[in-house]
Amino acid sequence: MRNSVIASVGVLALGAIAAPNGGHSWNGWGFSGNGACMNDDQANKVAHNFEALIAAYTNDVANAVLTPGVEDYSDSVIELIDGGCPSSSPGPAAYIALGSATFDSRADFEAGQGGQPNITFELLNVWHNCDTVTLRWRSPLPNPGPAPPPPAVQEQVTGIVVLETTFNGWQASEQFLINTIYSEFNSGAWLYDLGVFKPNCSATPSKRTRSLPNYFARL
């Protein structure tokens, strides 16, 4: 795994190898105040727990892997909820301001996610430190349908998620619970897959680069 860290100081590296993982303040990653530093296997478990919430959701999974007060922040999700509409326009659902929490409790998450179809979700990369897991993911078929029906060829969606965790005890079945989620992804492609955004694919040059910052317009 590329997400392994090699200590730059030999003495610390030797100490990290010798120290056990449970109950000690140093386990190869650093001091976290209570010795609760996750290793690669535990980080991958957290990543796959998040994958299950998207690809194979049940309330039992949510209860097992999320803290009761879990919070999620994703402007990409809010853009989907708002249907790409600004606050001055009526959207498909009640408007949510960008920057707001998409949900602020496990119960809120279950109420929202429980009614959604499961989505193809592929883990591409996983990185971590003591208590935070970062993952990169892809969904080749993000709109499973049947309503609205997906387009003939769906645009794949790729995203990044940062998961802050809470230590749940070395003897627990889930040693690290997801406490805060920061998630962003290609919401433009997802709006297309939902039929909300209908691109103009003519050969006429687009003027859209004029609205981008000068740096991006020069690319």
Side-chain angles (χ1 to χ4, degrees):
M1 294 291 296
R2 295 183 178 178
N3 51 353
S4 296
V5 172
I6 300 175
S8 59
V9 181
V11 174
L12 295 181
L14 291 174
I17 294 171
N21 198 15
H24 292 270
S25 61
W26 174 264
N27 72 345
W29 284 96
F31 181 67
S32 65
N34 62 358
C37 269
M38 68 176 67
N39 59 29
D40 288 354
D41 289 341
Q42 292 155 346
N44 281 312
K45 184 68 163 57
V46 171
H48 284 288
N49 286 344
F50 182 80
E51 178 185 18
L53 293 172
I54 306 301
Y57 177 84
T58 66
N59 283 345
D60 288 341
V61 170
N63 287 328
V65 306
L66 300 174
T67 64
V70 62
E71 293 183 325
D72 175 273
Y73 295 90
S74 175
D75 280 359
S76 299
V77 170
I78 291 175
E79 195 70 9
L80 294 182
I81 294 172
D82 293 341
C85 300
S87 59
S88 59
S89 301
Y95 177 79
I96 301 177
L98 294 172
S100 304
T102 54
F103 59 81
D104 55 12
S105 69
R106 186 170 64 198
D108 192 16
F109 180 92
E110 292 175 351
Q113 190 66 18
Q116 300 298 318
N118 290 326
I119 296 167
T120 304
F121 190 94
E122 300 176 0
L123 283 172
L124 300 177
N125 306 95
V126 177
W127 304 272
H128 72 95
N129 58 20
C130 262
D131 59 5
T132 302
V133 178
T134 300
L135 58 97
R136 180 171 168 265
W137 62 271
R138 177 189 299 138
S139 179
L141 298 173
N143 180 22
V153 178
Q154 294 194 50
E155 291 287 326
Q156 75 172 25
V157 173
T158 304
I160 297 286
V161 180
V162 179
L163 305 170
E164 293 180 340
T165 67
T166 296
F167 181 58
N168 195 37
W170 295 120
Q171 303 305 316
S173 58
E174 299 295 340
Q175 296 172 339
F176 292 86
L177 300 178
I178 299 171
N179 187 59
T180 312
I181 304 168
Y182 302 97
S183 171
E184 300 300 341
F185 53 85
N186 187 351
S187 56
W190 212 313
L191 286 169
Y192 166 79
D193 292 330
L194 292 171
V196 176
F197 171 65
K198 300 183 182 302
N200 179 4
C201 300
S202 68
T204 304
S206 172
K207 298 181 180 180
R208 59 190 172 190
T209 55
R210 294 183 180 178
S211 64
L212 298 175
N214 290 335
Y215 172 80
F216 294 103
R218 291 196 300 269
L219 296 180

